[in-house]
Amino acid sequence: MLQKTLFFAICLVFFSCKNETKTAKTVVNIESTAKTETVKSSAEAAEIPVLNFEEFEKYLNIEDDNIHVVNFWATWCAPCVKELPYFEAVNQEYKDKNVKVLLVSLDFNLKKLNSFLAKNNLQSEKVLLDDPDQNEWIPKVSNEWSGAIPATVIYKKGKRKFYERSFTKAELENELKNFIN
């Protein structure tokens, strides 16, 4: 009886470890390909570009006639998630005023992010900023930024404002009015 119990315990440990190894290999594979490719969610094939800061930085300095609203957020940040509908509404309601919203996710878990995106069907442009050297790139976004989220940059040509706070829809619209001629 002792031999059967010991054999069962060894088999259980062996097969459990094998599954964990497979999962770890899959995660590593996803992370390594995510750096250069667009990743699809298994739920509804939501796509999000995964960028390092060097690839992302161009979004902070677009010289055109649009008002750019760049919101830094994450699925694990409750105030961020709460304000997302306001950014989505502004993106839809102010299209005719040349307002472009970019949602910049700072999530760590790509699977959770893709699931969230598929479930919530966000229409604004989205990117995942995946660059571990935050101390290097945060001041490039704004010298005022401590790194806390939500954070938002609104800019048009030479005018730029940074906000390290959450917004209501009315507050976001009031800030936009400062940029709309």
Side-chain angles (χ1 to χ4, degrees):
M1 179 71 175
L2 181 61
Q3 288 177 333
K4 287 182 181 179
T5 304
L6 185 57
F7 176 75
F8 179 75
I10 290 171
C11 288
L12 182 63
V13 169
F14 176 75
F15 288 112
S16 294
C17 291
K18 186 175 180 181
N19 287 340
E20 288 176 11
T21 304
K22 245 185 215 178
T23 303
K25 285 181 183 175
T26 303
V27 170
V28 169
N29 186 29
I30 289 171
E31 288 175 354
S32 66
T33 58
K35 300 289 184 200
T36 57
E37 297 180 11
T38 300
V39 179
K40 291 187 178 182
S41 165
S42 58
E44 289 186 19
E47 296 182 5
I48 184 166
V50 180
L51 309 174
N52 63 32
F53 187 76
E54 186 178 324
E55 297 164 324
F56 167 74
E57 192 169 17
K58 66 184 175 191
Y59 292 101
L60 295 172
N61 301 298
I62 299 171
E63 291 289 331
D64 60 15
D65 292 330
N66 295 313
I67 299 165
H68 296 273
V69 180
V70 183
N71 177 252
F72 295 86
W73 70 286
T75 58
W76 46 264
C77 167
C80 300
V81 171
K82 182 178 179 183
E83 71 177 2
L84 281 176
Y86 312 138
F87 285 94
E88 284 290 282
V90 161
N91 189 51
Q92 292 299 316
E93 295 169 17
Y94 287 81
K95 277 185 179 181
D96 61 333
K97 302 223 186 284
N98 295 329
V99 173
K100 305 283 185 192
V101 174
L102 174 64
L103 302 175
V104 183
S105 172
L106 300 178
D107 277 277
F108 307 115
N109 185 325
L110 187 58
K111 183 178 178 183
K112 182 177 178 181
L113 173 61
N114 280 328
S115 175
F116 179 89
L117 294 174
K119 178 181 173 188
N120 291 283
N121 195 27
L122 300 176
Q123 298 299 305
S124 299
E125 184 177 2
K126 303 163 285 296
V127 298
L128 171 62
L129 179 54
D130 184 17
D131 192 322
D133 197 5
Q134 295 92 346
N135 291 333
E136 180 68 27
W137 60 261
I138 285 174
K140 291 178 181 177
V141 173
S142 173
N143 286 326
E144 302 170 38
W145 193 14
S146 72
I149 54 175
T152 303
V153 176
I154 302 176
Y155 73 93
K156 178 182 180 182
K157 293 188 178 175
K159 187 174 183 178
R160 178 186 226 67
K161 283 192 83 176
F162 174 78
Y163 310 87
E164 189 172 80
R165 54 173 285 223
S166 58
F167 284 100
T168 65
K169 185 176 181 224
E171 292 168 337
L172 184 56
E173 288 177 319
N174 283 335
E175 291 302 325
L176 275 176
K177 288 176 186 171
N178 295 321
F179 290 84
I180 297 172
N181 294 336

